[in-house]
Amino acid sequence: MKILVINGPNLNLLGTREPEIYGSATLSSIEKEILEYTESFKGVEVEFFQSNHEGEIVDKIQSAKGLYDGIIINPAAYTHTSVAIADAIKAVNLPAVEIHLSNINSREDFRKKSITAPSCIGQISGFGKNGYLAGLFCLIKHLEN
Ligand code: DQA
């Protein structure tokens, strides 16, 4: 089972970007934790992709068809704006789980609406970096059933 973990714009700055909201862990340390967690599941592999560009994220989702069994995605700001990413997830018909480090429902009104979440099987929001691990667990269980 192969899972693609996608992170959107500004998440490359984790660690220094508004740590009071997003935590102090860097993206590479989060990816390392995800890799370590993955080792507790037999036969599961993960790969990582981060981009600040909407079109690159769309291209990556399109190319995931046939290569990966599922997607973990934090679309970051594109969560609230991107019909293109929402459409790409639907187009490839791969199960995807949407992750947010912060609780988007307790923040500004414009963050409460996710355009991409309806294309996903579920959303995890507000548990910091552990959200990625929870999302991975849920996606693996979903794919096993
Ligand atoms: C975020 C929430 C988004 O509203 C924001 O634009 C981000 C990060 C989160 O992980 O909490 O960049 O997706």
Side-chain angles (χ1 to χ4, degrees):
M1 186 187 296
K2 275 188 85 172
I3 293 169
L4 174 63
V5 180
I6 298 176
N7 278 291
N10 300 307
L11 294 172
N12 55 317
L13 298 181
L14 286 175
T16 56
R17 175 192 178 202
E18 298 181 276
E20 63 291 354
I21 297 175
Y22 299 117
S24 54
T26 61
L27 183 57
S28 61
S29 75
I30 292 173
E31 289 177 345
K32 194 163 164 261
E33 266 193 59
I34 296 170
L35 263 183
E36 282 164 7
Y37 184 61
T38 306
E39 283 164 17
S40 56
F41 300 94
K42 249 190 160 169
V44 178
E45 281 175 56
V46 284
E47 281 177 18
F48 302 102
F49 178 77
Q50 189 277 329
S51 176
N52 295 325
H53 305 279
E54 185 175 24
E56 284 184 4
I57 296 170
V58 169
D59 286 344
K60 191 70 182 176
I61 294 168
Q62 286 187 10
S63 71
K65 188 81 192 162
L67 290 181
Y68 299 93
D69 301 292
I71 296 172
I72 301 282
I73 184 162
N74 183 345
Y78 289 137
T79 304
H80 319 295
T81 62
S82 183
V83 175
I85 291 174
D87 284 350
I89 297 169
K90 275 200 179 145
V92 295
N93 200 25
L94 288 172
V97 178
E98 181 169 301
I99 309 297
H100 297 288
L101 293 149
S102 64
N103 181 357
I104 57 172
N105 295 299
S106 68
R107 300 184 62 195
E108 303 97 317
D109 280 349
F110 71 87
R111 291 188 206 274
K112 291 181 180 153
K113 166 91 181 152
S114 171
I115 289 184
T116 45
S119 299
C120 298
I121 54 173
Q123 183 198 63
I124 296 168
S125 172
F127 294 98
K129 62 190 171 118
N130 288 331
Y132 290 93
L133 308 185
L136 191 66
F137 174 87
C138 293
L139 184 56
I140 292 167
K141 293 294 158 193
H142 175 87
L143 286 165
E144 282 173 353
N145 288 329

